[in-house]
Amino acid sequence: MEISLATFLAAVAAMSAPVILAALGETLTEKAGVVNLSLDGAILLSAMAGFVVATSSASLPLGFAASALTGSLVAAVLAIIGVSLHQSQVAAGFALTFLCRDLAYFLGHPYARQQGPQLTTLPLPGLADLPFIGEVLFSHSLVVYASFLAIPCCLLFLHRSRWGLMLRCAGENPEACWARGIDPNRVRFAAVVAGGALVGLAGGAFSLAVKPGWGQPQGCEGIGWIALALVIFGGWKPLRVALGAYLFAALQLLGIHFQDAFPTVPAQIFQVAPFPLMIFTLILIHASRRRRGRLNRLLAGNAPKWLGRAYRRS
Amino acid sequence: MLELTNIEKRFGRLQALRGVCVSAREGTIHGLIGENGAGKSTLMKVLTGFVHMTGGEIRLRGNRVHPGGPRDAMALGIGMLYQEPLDFPQLSVLENFIAGQAAYAPTAARQRLARLAQDFSFHLRADDLVGDLTVGERQQLELLRLIDGGASVLILDEPTTGISAQQQEVLFAALRRLKATGATVLLVSHKLEEIDLLCDEVTVLRHGQVVARRSRPFDRDDLLQAMFDRLPEREGAAPKAATGPALLVFDRACAGSGRAALSGLSLTISGGEIVGLAGIDGSGQNTFLKLAGGLLEPTSGETRLEGEHSGAPRRPTLGVDTVYLPADRLAEGLFPQLSLREHHLLASPGRALLTPSAGLEETSRAIAVHGIKGEAQQPVQDLSGGNQQRLLLSLIPEKTRLILMENPTRGLDVHSARSTWKLLRRRLADQGAAIVFASPDLDEVMREASRILVFAANRVVLDIPAGEASSHILSRAITGQVDAPIAP
């Protein structure tokens, strides 16, 4: 099977859109010092909620709103336990991810295999006709455009806004935040809920656009864990997190094509290859921590100092 | 005018501040001095709203104020420079400068930062990472941030600990400048030299109470007297200095960084010695202990135990011939939920399978010998502090030659403290071991040590046999005044 480079890249962009939304949501959450492990379940639950609402109301915007809201609500539960009540974020996240998963399949059961609305591609007038770029960037659905926009927005928010600065401060040193009159736990709560909304949108992006429909198993299972790994892979930097998502999608697609090109190699190798590659990259990142130089600096990632730790004022 | 009247603060059963009154005028530098635990830090935390007072009132320019938290304090123009820089190391200088400000205007802030830095002759580059700066520079940044935020009352908590002499000069110049512009500066310090150089007035705290107020010119001996008061001179003879063989050698050793740094250590500790480390908390005593235990590599020079190869890299020798007893016994020294018996089993290796009665006999013997009030099968978290300490002592192996202790009688009542020292002395007599201990209690150092090292400004400033030490000499050394040359 021969495909053009442009088609391949366009497929990568389309496939990675929800992953990018989820991973950026988790980046915001973790930059504020909170680990939200409920991602995988939250994506599934919001995919279900989005599909059900969109089907019942025959309105795609309502469907997306429902998935964002669902993502925020799941995140708010985590924030209450992990931020306000100072309990283990890891335990709460794990419990939530499995709870959400089961809840999604249970509540979504009546809607399984139903025909629902789905987002169609919306080639941007004028831009879509550009050679190469038009096909790669401007012939997608709104979800993909949103994922493109989310990257610079996330960057600008974190590095060029007061709220973004406060968010990073809360993840770095909550005590110093407090000394400056910022309540770190409020900032964290807000960051977790906002990040949750992005994660919820990722769920909606699956059930309403990328892998439309609802059923068991939904195609988005496992994506939450990938998104979590991408945040670390990306060194908590939005741009690198997004690049990681593209790389991952490219590897998965290549796997499919390589299966045809190398029929003697078991298909499973290409299917799982992205995962060991991720681990290999993490080792690279670790190795570059102590050295200087441009490449190493590019690879270096600094976890927020207070990541995963609850802050309780002494 | 900043007036603190009858400030009271209680933490549970502990009365940390008792009717403290301090008043400081605009355009002055007001010193706040006192020994460890005198209540200086608590008082400052009350001012910044970090802790809430249980009684008294604060007036600023005549108005009664209630700082409910740092945000309120900032709005009132009260800013504090904490002892450990309270900033964001992974963020840039500029980001640190604007974090917490109501408006987000990086370009304007960059200009203000540059102007302020120039005014105060600080060399700060807006785009540097704060984590790459020295403690002194981080402090300068914090100071500028507070001034930029409109602070008119500035509190500095031990600002010169861990910064270089040049940075100290720059800081002092900055403080004088602030004074000239009409700010009220509160300087928490234990260094009388600084007080002399900078302060117009001084309030001395002891045990949570104001014991003296003085204005310029200060009489240092008078201030010392007020700070330490009735430091009882030793009753009876000083413990004899040891004559055993050399055990631990420090050869021009430097270690640690920033505030915990130590430099230029050259001394030898011999068997039979009890070395007491005195000084204000965090003047390098803990770095010394860690260096002695091999828990910390010297950054230059070397430390070696007798019998070790000179120059060979030193591996932590804990558990073999060196024992380190941390101050926070339950958190760092013991496993709270394991029983006394299990602790003894852990301490005696060579047993693969454990029967329910294994180690019971040794544990019972240790309980009897060390007078531990507890059962062999009881979790150690149920023991009282004194019994925990006796358990730790009972776990020290026979062949230990060096016992290092951080505040050995912390949280112990008088009786437990005495029994601890009795056990330690017995140990010393039996084995010819050396004991090195740090204690914030000068009394204890004078009573128990045979040799005293005084730490100040990241160095050992005084090294004398206990017989020659007096509370006067020690308290002078602790506050940074040494007239006797340092013993070789």
Side-chain angles (χ1 to χ4, degrees):
Chain A
M1 186 171 68
E2 280 298 315
I3 56 160
S4 73
L5 182 63
T7 313
F8 176 74
L9 291 180
V12 167
M15 206 172 139
S16 49
V19 186
I20 286 178
L21 290 176
L24 289 181
E26 180 69 10
T27 305
L28 290 185
T29 309
E30 294 201 5
K31 270 283 183 190
V34 182
V35 178
N36 183 356
L37 286 184
S38 74
L39 236 55
D40 203 54
I43 290 176
L44 211 56
L45 188 63
S46 31
M48 186 280 294
F51 181 76
V52 169
V53 169
T55 309
S56 326
S57 67
S59 158
L60 278 169
L62 272 184
F64 277 105
S67 33
L69 188 69
T70 309
S72 291
L73 284 177
V74 175
V77 174
L78 180 96
I80 290 170
I81 301 169
V83 177
S84 309
L85 302 179
H86 322 291
Q87 298 305 306
S88 162
Q89 297 166 7
V90 171
F94 259 114
L96 271 175
T97 202
F98 293 115
L99 177 70
C100 289
R101 194 194 115 101
D102 292 344
L103 211 55
Y105 286 131
F106 174 68
L107 296 176
H109 188 67
Y111 294 85
R113 315 227 186 294
Q114 279 194 20
Q115 191 68 33
Q118 81 179 68
L119 209 57
T120 48
T121 52
L122 179 73
L124 294 181
L127 292 171
D129 301 329
L130 292 171
F132 193 72
I133 296 181
E135 186 180 355
V136 176
L137 296 178
F138 303 116
S139 312
H140 293 291
S141 67
L142 276 175
V143 162
V144 179
Y145 300 136
S147 76
F148 291 158
L149 268 180
I151 304 163
C153 285
C154 200
L155 260 176
L156 285 176
F157 171 75
L158 280 176
H159 293 278
R160 293 279 182 276
S161 81
R162 175 163 176 267
W163 280 89
L165 181 59
M166 275 161 62
L167 188 152
R168 285 186 289 146
C169 287
E172 282 301 320
N173 189 352
E175 182 82 359
C177 279
W178 177 248
R180 287 161 195 239
I182 304 167
D183 184 341
N185 284 345
R186 279 169 74 169
V187 174
R188 285 175 156 206
F189 203 108
V192 173
V193 171
L198 273 178
V199 171
L201 277 181
F206 271 116
S207 63
L208 298 174
V210 176
K211 289 176 180 169
W214 177 255
Q216 187 168 6
Q218 225 286 341
C220 59
E221 258 190 68
I223 287 299
W225 302 112
I226 303 287
L228 273 163
L230 283 174
V231 175
I232 302 169
F233 174 88
W236 292 269
K237 294 174 181 163
L239 200 58
R240 261 177 49 188
V241 170
L243 284 178
Y246 289 128
L247 180 70
F248 186 78
L251 286 172
Q252 281 193 316
L253 276 175
L254 275 180
I256 297 170
H257 294 303
F258 279 152
Q259 273 173 40
D260 301 330
F262 305 96
T264 49
V265 181
Q268 285 82 355
I269 292 207
F270 296 113
Q271 279 163 15
V272 299
F275 298 96
L277 269 173
M278 283 279 161
I279 293 174
F280 179 70
T281 317
L282 289 179
I283 295 170
L284 262 185
I285 290 172
H286 171 81
S288 67
R289 269 184 11 186
R290 279 156 160 249
R291 270 181 262 132
R292 296 192 173 264
R294 191 172 291 171
L295 178 70
N296 286 321
R297 186 164 302 175
L298 210 70
L299 281 174
N302 281 325
K305 274 273 147 54
W306 273 70
L307 184 60
R309 285 156 74 192
Y311 171 67
R312 197 194 300 247
R313 202 150 51 79
S314 52
Chain B
M1 183 86 151
L2 172 70
E3 290 163 288
L4 304 171
T5 318
N6 289 322
I7 306 290
E8 303 269 336
K9 177 64 199 178
R10 199 172 244 298
F11 294 105
R13 278 158 62 199
L14 178 81
Q15 182 94 34
L17 295 173
R18 232 183 275 260
V20 172
C21 301
V22 176
S23 62
R25 283 172 291 117
E26 273 100 39
T28 62
I29 301 181
H30 192 104
L32 209 61
I33 60 175
E35 58 175 331
N36 294 325
K40 298 168 291 185
S41 296
T42 308
L43 186 62
M44 294 304 102
K45 282 185 178 162
V46 164
L47 248 183
T48 53
F50 247 93
V51 301
H52 296 254
M53 54 192 177
T54 40
E57 67 170 39
I58 302 172
R59 276 175 189 280
L60 187 60
R61 290 174 222 103
N63 304 318
R64 200 165 164 183
V65 297
H66 303 270
R71 182 199 287 268
D72 295 352
M74 269 171 20
L76 292 166
I78 302 173
M80 175 154 176
L81 207 63
Y82 296 86
Q83 200 169 358
E84 292 298 324
L86 213 46
D87 53 17
F88 308 99
Q90 289 193 35
L91 270 49
S92 75
V93 166
L94 183 65
E95 285 172 332
N96 266 273
F97 185 68
I98 52 181
Q101 284 182 354
Y104 183 82
T107 321
R110 184 184 288 270
Q111 284 164 3
R112 287 203 310 278
L113 173 63
R115 189 159 1 100
L116 277 171
Q118 196 179 13
D119 285 355
F120 284 91
S121 330
F122 295 164
H123 298 286
L124 294 170
R125 279 193 305 258
D127 298 313
D128 284 355
L129 220 56
V130 164
D132 294 337
L133 304 185
T134 64
V135 174
E137 288 167 329
R138 287 163 76 174
Q139 211 176 48
Q140 294 173 353
L141 173 60
E142 278 291 283
L143 195 63
L144 295 190
R145 185 181 68 78
L146 294 173
I147 295 164
D148 186 59
S152 58
V153 176
L154 280 159
I155 307 164
L156 293 92
D157 191 2
E158 305 280 4
T160 55
T161 320
I163 69 174
S164 71
Q166 290 105 310
Q167 283 175 336
Q168 201 165 313
E169 290 286 308
V170 178
L171 178 71
F172 287 179
L175 292 185
R176 289 200 189 92
R177 197 191 140 88
L178 279 170
K179 171 182 156 175
T181 57
T184 308
V185 179
L186 290 173
L187 179 69
V188 178
S189 180
H190 62 265
K191 293 180 188 150
L192 292 185
E193 199 174 26
E194 284 168 30
I195 300 291
D196 241 3
L197 275 170
L198 292 168
C199 294
D200 303 289
E201 282 163 334
V202 148
T203 301
V204 187
L205 284 178
R206 195 170 60 230
H207 304 314
Q209 282 175 299
V210 174
V211 290
R213 288 190 186 81
R214 300 284 184 269
S215 330
R216 279 189 105 70
F218 304 113
D219 175 352
R220 288 194 189 187
D221 284 341
D222 168 50
L223 288 181
L224 276 179
Q225 182 76 33
M227 274 171 83
F228 295 94
D229 186 38
R230 30 136 225 110
L231 235 195
E233 292 297 333
R234 194 183 355 271
E235 313 142 22
K240 266 195 302 243
T243 47
L247 200 59
L248 178 66
V249 179
F250 292 84
D251 189 6
R252 295 184 301 273
C254 300
S257 62
R259 280 164 195 262
L262 260 187
S263 58
L265 270 180
S266 283
L267 51 91
T268 302
I269 290 170
S270 310
E273 275 191 311
I274 301 183
V275 183
L277 312 181
I280 298 286
D281 281 346
S283 300
Q285 300 96 310
N286 286 353
T287 308
F288 183 89
L289 287 174
K290 291 210 173 95
L291 200 55
L295 292 171
L296 199 66
E297 288 276 325
T299 47
S300 70
E302 66 168 10
T303 62
R304 58 177 185 273
L305 270 177
E306 190 48 39
E308 274 181 342
H309 273 299
S310 170
R314 173 131 189 252
R315 263 178 262 113
T317 45
L318 294 189
V320 182
D321 46 14
T322 307
V323 160
Y324 187 107
L325 302 190
D328 194 346
R329 290 181 280 270
L330 207 51
E332 294 175 27
L334 297 167
F335 304 94
Q337 300 189 9
L338 295 192
S339 69
L340 276 67
R341 179 181 74 99
E342 286 164 319
H343 277 84
H344 271 275
L345 286 173
L346 276 170
S348 49
R351 230 182 294 213
L353 287 174
L354 301 177
T355 58
S357 65
L360 214 50
E361 201 181 316
E362 292 117 287
T363 312
S364 305
R365 200 180 323 123
I367 288 174
V369 170
H370 290 83
I372 302 167
K373 290 198 188 66
E375 310 275 333
Q377 303 282 21
Q378 201 178 8
V380 299
Q381 63 190 359
D382 295 349
L383 297 180
S384 71
N387 287 313
Q388 284 171 12
Q389 184 68 304
R390 283 191 284 273
L391 170 65
L392 275 172
L393 294 180
S394 77
L395 291 170
I396 298 176
E398 290 285 314
K399 57 184 178 204
T400 301
R401 289 191 296 160
L402 184 60
I403 301 174
L404 307 166
M405 292 183 296
E406 240 179 88
N407 202 354
T409 55
R410 173 173 175 259
L412 303 190
D413 57 48
V414 182
H415 174 76
S416 292
R418 284 221 180 106
S419 89
T420 296
W421 275 108
K422 222 162 92 189
L423 288 169
L424 280 167
R425 290 189 176 285
R426 198 191 302 163
R427 201 88 203 197
L428 197 71
D430 291 352
Q431 298 162 23
I435 296 175
V436 182
F437 74 100
S439 171
D441 179 2
L442 211 47
D443 248 338
E444 183 178 27
V445 174
M446 301 246 316
R447 199 171 49 234
E448 310 293 352
S450 64
R451 173 182 175 187
I452 299 173
L453 304 184
V454 178
F455 289 73
N458 310 89
R459 309 185 74 84
V460 173
V461 291
L462 190 67
D463 177 358
I464 53 171
E468 295 170 23
S470 70
S471 64
H472 185 70
I473 294 176
L474 291 184
S475 56
R476 279 177 69 86
I478 288 172
T479 52
Q481 303 163 73
V482 186
D483 11 46
I486 301 168

